[in-house]
């Protein structure tokens, strides 16, 4: 990947060289590739490098930052529990109950909810609950839908084995290390009605669970086709399969009730994470009471830092700020950005398009918006990468991998959005062929 900036900084070079000696691969996760600079300060909508160069941040830590970097209101809530009740592994805490009540009040599928640390935690617990509830092992999922790095649910694994295509080098979303996908996971194309019907006709009675991102964010932004979520709801009910919505990227950010509240289709279990804590560590699993009650009885749920006080406090503050007009504001900023970028792409004559909802967006470097993962990876990566590097130079930080989705946060102003659009217009003029 060409991530070379015109003028790499001394601090950047020094840190990267030192990292290469003491950290495998130079970063603690494969999904943290060198995007071309090292950030030393973050505030609101902005990041700065050691030399004081400012970036408008459209990565937002791959999703968690939704209110804004280092938001003083969220930080104050965390500081208060840090100074008063810094208890882990003792519960329930008041914050745990208060957050659970908010989520149960907002999310259609949430009769009960538990808190853990990561989206991967939540999805693993969902898998265990579904297997315990059904006494079945087999699992159904979609190409390009990433459900955490453990076990069988990583996207790269499934695509790798079935398509013979190398997983993209974005390990935060690839699960690429798991080349040996187990035979008890069936994987079909997103939005392929016939493939879903065929899989359920053949194996519906063997599935413990069906996993999906109800609005695909792991690689491009691709909505469900009209009727697609309804079909999944119908088939899973018919075959006694636990329907699991992975709302790790959509939850809180697009609606406090998750994408299910927008789509009007209610799953049995829902995993949430990322934007819940505005950067503090927290995730959750919500769902039907009879399924959730298996946790702690038939299915283990144990984690020293589960429902940690800092994540809970951050999440309550984040929820309340989003409930107080925050979500609507994110949607209006996002729409302004997507409209502006679409206009500039059309003017440039480049065969590309913008997809997304709420505060989420991506440019697909192909003539048509992709509806499957296969289509998402069939893009002009060279052009997308040239655009990304040009934007970085212009002070706009985008995800370091061309088909990874971007997003803004609540600290953005209209001026930040318009600056992004203007930068895109000028970079497009340079890179368009
Ligand atoms: N599901 C989705 C849709 C995700 O995007 C991610 C993270 N990229 C996860 C699950 C896993 O969450 P975590 O990294 O917190 O384990």
């Amino acid at each position: 990947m060409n991530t070379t900036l015109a003028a790499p900084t001394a601090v950047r070079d020094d840190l990267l060289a030192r990292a290469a000696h003491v950290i495998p691969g130079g970063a603690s996760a494969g999904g943290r590739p060198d995007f071309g600079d090292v950030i030393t300060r973050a505030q609101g909508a902005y990041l700065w490098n050691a030399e004081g160069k400012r970036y408008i941040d459209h990565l937002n830590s791959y999703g968690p930052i939704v209110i804004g970097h280092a938001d003083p209101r969220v930080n104050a809530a965390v500081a208060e529990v840090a100074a008063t009740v810094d208890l882990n592994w003792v519960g329930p805490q008041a914050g745990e109950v208060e957050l659970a009540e908010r989520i149960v009040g907002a999310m259609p599928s949430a009769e009960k909810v538990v808190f853990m640390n990561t989206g991967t935690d939540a999805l693993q617990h969902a898998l265990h609950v579904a297997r315990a509830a059904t006494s079945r092992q087999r699992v159904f999922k979609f190409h390009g839908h990433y459900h955490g790095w453990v076990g069988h649910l990583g996207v790269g694994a499934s695509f790798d084995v079935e398509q013979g295509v190398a997983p993209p080098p974005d390990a935060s979303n690839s699960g690429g290390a798991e080349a040996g996908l187990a035979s008890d996971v069936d994987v079909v194309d997103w939005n392929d009605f016939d493939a879903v019907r065929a899989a359920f006709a053949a194996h519906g009675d063997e599935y413990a669970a069906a996993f999906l991102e109800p609005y695909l964010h792991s690689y491009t932004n691709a909505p469900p086709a009209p009727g697609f979520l309804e079909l999944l709801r119908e088939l899973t009910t018919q075959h006694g399969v636990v329907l699991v919505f992975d709302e790790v990227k959509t939850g809180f950010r697009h609606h406090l009730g998750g994408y299910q509240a927008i789509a009007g289709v209610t799953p049995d279990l829902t995993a949430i994470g990322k934007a819940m804590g505005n950067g503090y560590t927290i995730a959750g699993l919500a769902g039907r009471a009879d399924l959730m009650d298996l946790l702690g009885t038939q299915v283990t749920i144990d984690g020293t830092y589960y429902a940690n006080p800092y994540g809970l406090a951050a999440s309550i503050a984040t929820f309340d700020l989003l409930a107080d007009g925050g979500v609507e504001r994110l949607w209006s900023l996002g729409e302004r950005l997507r409209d502006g970028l679409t206009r500039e792409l059309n003017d440039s004559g480049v065969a590309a398009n913008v997809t997304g909802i709420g505060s989420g967006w991506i440019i697909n470097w192909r003539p048509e918006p992709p509806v499957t993962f296969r289509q998402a990876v069939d893009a002009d990566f060279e052009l997308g990468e040239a655009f990304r590097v040009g934007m970085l130079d212009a002070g706009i930080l985008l995800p370091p991998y061309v088909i990874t989705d971007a997003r803004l946060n609540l600290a953005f102003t209209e001026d930040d959005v318009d600056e992004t659009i203007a930068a895109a217009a000028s970079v497009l003029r340079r890179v368009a062929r």
Side-chain angles (χ1 to χ4, degrees):
M1 192 183 310
N2 173 20
T3 52
T4 313
L5 274 180
T9 71
V11 172
R12 165 183 185 263
D13 287 352
D14 173 59
L15 208 66
L16 293 182
R18 285 160 54 201
H21 282 290
V22 289
I23 305 172
S28 296
R32 295 179 181 171
D34 165 20
F35 67 81
D37 205 347
V38 164
I39 299 303
T40 53
R41 189 177 151 227
Q43 185 72 58
Y46 310 126
L47 307 174
W48 288 267
N49 74 7
E51 279 74 18
K53 176 171 170 139
R54 193 198 79 175
Y55 296 101
I56 299 177
D57 182 18
H58 287 272
L59 181 56
N60 283 300
S61 302
Y62 286 92
I65 304 299
V66 65
I67 304 297
H69 287 285
D71 183 86
R73 297 158 295 184
V74 177
N75 282 348
V78 175
E80 184 171 343
V81 293
T84 53
V85 275
D86 63 343
L87 288 179
N88 284 296
W89 200 258
V90 179
Q93 292 291 304
E96 186 175 354
V97 179
E98 284 165 24
L99 182 60
E101 286 173 348
R102 279 169 171 77
I103 292 168
V104 166
M107 180 176 280
S109 67
E111 292 174 359
K112 293 194 174 179
V113 53
V114 286
F115 301 109
M116 54 282 291
N117 299 130
T118 69
T120 301
D121 293 340
L123 287 147
Q124 284 300 306
H125 288 303
L127 178 60
H128 294 174
V129 165
R131 285 182 166 163
T134 58
S135 301
R136 302 172 183 171
Q137 286 299 304
R138 202 171 181 125
V139 170
F140 174 93
K141 75 176 289 281
F142 291 99
H143 283 305
H145 293 224
Y146 174 70
H147 305 302
W149 63 272
V150 173
H152 303 156
L153 298 174
V155 60
S158 51
F159 203 71
D160 208 19
V161 169
E162 296 215 349
Q163 306 301 322
V165 172
D170 172 3
S172 89
N173 276 349
S174 77
E178 300 166 30
L181 183 73
S183 59
D184 59 357
V185 182
D186 288 357
V187 189
V188 308
D189 274 339
W190 182 230
N191 286 324
D192 187 337
F193 287 74
D194 290 342
V196 170
R197 284 196 194 96
F200 273 81
H203 300 295
D205 293 340
E206 297 163 51
Y207 295 140
F211 284 81
L212 59 139
E213 295 180 66
Y215 188 114
L216 179 57
H217 279 331
S218 287
Y219 303 122
T220 193
N221 278 324
F228 197 62
L229 297 181
E230 286 81 356
L231 174 70
L232 287 158
R233 179 64 281 180
E234 185 188 316
L235 289 174
T236 49
T237 302
Q238 193 181 319
H239 291 275
V241 179
V242 177
L243 181 62
V244 184
F245 277 11
D246 178 344
E247 300 232 32
V248 169
K249 271 188 167 166
T250 52
F252 275 52
R253 178 174 284 282
H254 299 327
H255 193 293
L256 286 163
Y259 187 74
Q260 61 198 260
I262 299 170
V265 175
T266 304
D268 301 307
L269 294 174
T270 304
I272 47 178
K274 298 220 186 218
M276 280 182 82
N278 196 48
Y280 287 91
T281 302
I282 185 161
L285 179 66
R288 256 170 46 200
D290 61 316
L291 294 172
M292 295 297 291
D293 284 337
L294 297 176
L295 287 162
T297 53
Q298 288 187 44
V299 181
T300 304
I301 175 156
D302 269 339
T304 301
Y305 300 107
Y306 278 16
N308 74 83
Y310 319 108
L312 292 170
S315 190
I316 291 168
T318 299
F319 187 105
D320 290 349
L321 289 162
L322 290 173
D324 188 21
V327 171
E328 288 80 1
R329 170 86 181 142
L330 285 169
W331 278 75
S332 101
L333 288 164
E335 200 168 294
R336 184 183 184 99
L337 180 61
R338 287 188 298 272
D339 286 352
L341 291 174
T342 300
R343 209 172 45 237
E344 298 305 339
L345 281 171
N346 290 344
D347 286 356
S348 75
V350 170
N353 53 79
V354 183
T355 54
I357 52 163
S359 48
W361 68 276
I362 189 168
I363 297 177
N364 304 291
W365 301 95
R366 64 197 311 282
E368 300 296 329
V371 297
T372 66
F373 181 51
R374 217 181 300 272
Q375 291 176 359
V377 295
D378 177 22
D380 188 339
F381 278 69
E382 212 177 298
L383 182 57
E385 177 63 4
F387 177 80
R388 188 192 72 79
V389 172
M391 291 293 271
L392 194 63
D393 249 338
I396 313 289
L397 179 71
L398 303 183
Y401 188 56
V402 168
I403 60 168
T404 299
D405 63 318
R407 63 207 61 76
L408 40 76
N409 71 50
L410 203 45
F412 274 60
T413 62
E414 275 78 3
D415 284 350
D416 297 323
V417 170
D418 294 347
E419 187 178 329
T420 304
I421 297 166
S426 121
V427 174
L428 278 170
R429 274 194 294 277
R430 256 186 302 143
V431 301
R433 292 175 292 216

